[in-house]
Amino acid sequence: DEESSSNSYLSDTDLYALIDTLLKFDNSFDSKIRNKSQSKKFPKIEEFSTSSKHCRMIEYTVEYRLCQENDCSICARIGRMVRSPSIEIDGYSFQNEILRWMDLPIIDQNNQDHFMSPKLGRQYIDS
């Protein structure tokens, strides 16, 4: 059965779609290579994953995003540029909201055992 996979995170269909996407982005990609030391064999993927404008790896998550530069070669290889309207919603730029990194948890200074609420964390980050 194509949907049942020994990998509990992805179906075979999703895995093949991911591999196909990586091959389209960087035709030197080889799914048999699995360690970071050999990732330099995929120069376009290496460039993307080490670009601070496009990739952020932290203890909580890995995030990928398009940048806002019209002449970006990485975004061009992805096959798309930012296509959201330049409007404001509740005082925030819609494009900036879509393209900004996820807010990280911030320890509440009044209670060191807890994090700030998302709303207070955003206010803290923006201040």
Side-chain angles (χ1 to χ4, degrees), residues 43-75:
K44 294 174 183 171
I45 293 172
E46 177 77 7
E47 178 188 17
F48 176 73
S49 66
T50 58
S51 167
S52 61
K53 293 179 187 176
H54 298 92
C55 181
R56 179 168 85 161
M57 293 183 215
I58 56 173
E59 57 274 9
Y60 300 105
T61 188
V62 175
E63 294 179 84
Y64 302 104
R65 69 176 185 182
L66 298 172
C67 71
Q68 295 183 25
E69 297 175 9
N70 290 330
D71 59 346
C72 176
S73 62
I74 293 175
C75 291

Side-chain angles (χ1 to χ4, degrees), residues 1-113:
D1 176 86
E2 187 179 329
E3 291 297 318
S4 63
S5 172
S6 60
N7 181 335
S8 61
Y9 298 104
L10 292 174
S11 68
D12 286 348
T13 301
D14 291 340
L15 178 61
Y16 296 134
L18 175 61
I19 290 170
D20 185 52
T21 300
L22 290 168
L23 281 168
K24 285 178 184 173
F25 185 77
D26 187 340
N27 61 5
S28 62
F29 174 72
D30 181 348
S31 63
K32 294 178 184 80
I33 295 177
R34 308 252 173 170
N35 65 45
K36 187 172 170 83
S37 67
Q38 293 184 332
S39 67
K40 294 199 181 348
K41 292 182 178 183
F42 320 130
K44 294 174 183 171
I45 293 172
E46 177 77 7
E47 178 188 17
F48 176 73
S49 66
T50 58
S51 167
S52 61
K53 293 179 187 176
H54 298 92
C55 181
R56 179 168 85 161
M57 293 183 215
I58 56 173
E59 57 274 9
Y60 300 105
T61 188
V62 175
E63 294 179 84
Y64 302 104
R65 69 176 185 182
L66 298 172
C67 71
Q68 295 183 25
E69 297 175 9
N70 290 330
D71 59 346
C72 176
S73 62
I74 293 175
C75 291
R77 277 197 304 275
I78 292 170
R80 62 184 299 181
M81 302 307 273
V82 177
R83 297 184 293 185
S84 60
S86 296
I87 60 173
E88 282 200 14
I89 299 175
D90 294 331
Y92 293 103
S93 161
F94 184 65
Q95 268 190 0
N96 289 345
E97 289 302 300
I98 291 172
L99 297 173
R100 67 193 296 270
W101 297 118
M102 176 178 69
D103 294 339
L104 300 178
I106 298 172
I107 301 273
D108 186 336
Q109 297 303 309
N110 298 320
N111 186 348
Q112 296 287 317
D113 294 332

